Amino acid sequence: MKSEISLRPATLDDVDALTALSYKTIRQKHAEVIGSDAVEGYIASGAVPKYYTERNAFLWVAERGEEPVGAVAIKDNEIHLMMVTVDHHRKGIGEALLEHGERLLFDTFGTIELESFRDNAQAVNFYRKHGWQAVSEYPMPEVGIPMVRMGKQRISR
């Protein structure tokens, strides 16, 4: 399945498609972790299209055919965002995005990080499976949602 996936730098033309796939996935996957009210409040805030617009230069888009099915944002030494549309979970897209982000970051940094909802077992287990380890846990500022910061070390060559 990974061979059917292509990765490319994002453009501002991707904002609407990435926003739509994010809304769908956030509603279906994050409501069980942080609650429907928090999800709907986040969506109503306009933060998703704003994120994709402001961080467009740091985004890579995964496509199957010509359809955007996921994205990874990398900035500094961090995988800042990983999103795969819920319709394409468990098809190798997240793995392709993660490997791409890691490869780009490890070209510059020896240690890289990301954060996830602590109670999103699917995501946390996915990262652990790929060699990431929990570094710290903390509540998200202002809303108190439990978060986990994870790290990974570059393997010496």
Side-chain angles (χ1 to χ4, degrees), residues 95-155:
E95 183 175 46
L97 287 165
L98 184 64
E99 288 173 358
H100 183 72
E102 288 176 1
R103 192 170 38 258
L104 292 173
L105 291 171
F106 280 141
D107 281 347
T108 305
F109 302 99
T111 301
I112 59 176
E113 297 183 342
L114 60 79
E115 68 179 10
S116 180
F117 295 122
R118 184 198 67 198
D119 298 334
N120 185 344
Q122 182 178 349
V124 171
N125 289 335
F126 170 81
Y127 295 128
R128 283 190 177 128
K129 175 183 163 189
H130 290 90
W132 291 79
Q133 297 180 344
V135 174
S136 63
E137 293 185 13
Y138 52 91
M140 184 184 284
E142 299 177 24
V143 292
I145 296 168
M147 302 297 291
V148 60
R149 178 157 288 281
M150 301 183 85
K152 187 172 182 178
Q153 299 269 328
R154 178 177 46 219
I155 297 171

Side-chain angles (χ1 to χ4, degrees), residues 15-105:
V15 171
D16 290 343
L18 293 175
T19 297
L21 77 81
S22 293
Y23 286 171
K24 183 175 187 177
T25 301
I26 290 167
R27 283 186 169 116
Q28 290 187 21
K29 298 306 271 182
H30 293 172
E32 63 194 41
V33 176
I34 64 172
S36 295
D37 290 344
V39 163
E40 292 306 320
Y42 177 67
I43 288 172
S45 76
V48 174
K50 182 178 179 185
Y51 180 94
Y52 287 128
T53 300
E54 291 178 352
R55 292 173 178 83
N56 200 265
F58 309 110
L59 277 168
W60 290 81
V61 176
E63 291 181 314
R64 177 164 278 145
E66 299 214 2
E67 174 191 7
V69 293
V72 62
I74 58 171
K75 187 171 182 200
D76 300 324
N77 72 324
E78 187 173 355
I79 291 184
H80 213 261
L81 167 114
M82 279 254 320
M83 180 65 64
V84 175
T85 182
V86 70
D87 298 334
H88 288 85
H89 280 193
R90 301 186 185 269
K91 295 183 180 178
I93 296 165
E95 183 175 46
L97 287 165
L98 184 64
E99 288 173 358
H100 183 72
E102 288 176 1
R103 192 170 38 258
L104 292 173
L105 291 171

